[in-house]
Amino acid sequence: VAEGEPGEGREPFELPRFWDALGQTFQVTSQEATKLSLAFSRPPLPSAEDCRKLSEDVQNAILAVATVYYWLPKGQGTTLRKMVRDATTEVVEGMIQLTDTILNAPVESLSQEQLISTGGVWEACEQVSNLPRDNQAAVVSTLASCLGVVKDAVEEMEHALVEGQDPYGDIMEDEELGFRGNRDTYWSEADRQLLSSCMGLMKASKACLKKVLAAVKAHGKADSPEQIAQLDDLADIANEISPSVDELALSMYPPVNPLAVRLNAAKLASVLKKVLEIAKASHVCPPSEEGWVQFLTGAVDHNMNKVKNFTQDQL
């Protein structure tokens, strides 16, 4: 196993060999989970010697999984490494849970908890086949996930902002709760004007992620340290978009505090500008992609200026 480890006197790191080794260690761990679970599925209990052998095999399997994970250099991409680390952690935690379940379960029969825990280890081990194979694929996966979350947030807010709709209608149907005339439960016309500009920023977030994702798919490469680092920078800043969108959306519900809305809008606009700057300076943005970068930069500025204008009197 150690021959694949990078370092002096070792062979250079190769991703295909890493994936082969990781797949093998995950498969062995899955098999050891099955053996462990079956051994304690019914009486009689395994002998002390059998227990020692089972424990040793489980420990060796987990150590092999961890060892292979540590082969993966950070230079292959922090986005990729985090995904592999998360998958490895799930396997280790799954085996810990299975062991705890066996230790705490009666020996009379195979418990439901034991079945679930064993299945959990199998599922965690199977994840290796779905992991992205390089940092470009890892960043594509990250951006697609961010886009999905932002799309949902935009659709939810669009639905709530339908003209005449009460944003709290679904939880305030009971007449006893009432407050239909309460300012805290509806948007004024001034609110709606402000929020339309905020929606412009949220839609720009969706468009930004969509365009960056397409650019990474089309032009993204993980062949050099510089390319890998640029992709990681994009993933890191893109991960800030969704929380910023959520914070803005939450501040948009009544009662609207215009200053809070302006602050959250400014935070989101700043993140979007940063995403566009990083994308434009990276290898995923050749001259053919610069048009949408310029357009979206203008859209962010336009909507942020409108937010500032609508909240000017509140300063």
Side-chain angles (χ1 to χ4, degrees), residues 159 164-180 185:
H159 181 69
Q165 182 175 323
D166 181 346
Y168 294 113
D170 58 341
I171 58 171
M172 300 196 71
E173 290 302 324
D174 193 328
E175 288 183 7
E176 291 182 13
L177 292 174
F179 313 122
R180 310 311 277 179
T185 67

Side-chain angles (χ1 to χ4, degrees), residues 244-277:
S244 300
V245 167
D246 287 342
E247 285 180 27
L248 176 57
L250 284 171
S251 68
M252 289 164 66
Y253 279 93
V256 174
N257 179 335
L259 291 183
V261 171
R262 176 170 174 160
L263 176 63
N264 287 317
K267 284 181 184 175
L268 176 57
S270 175
V271 170
L272 294 178
K273 296 286 284 289
K274 193 72 177 172
V275 171
L276 293 167
E277 286 170 17

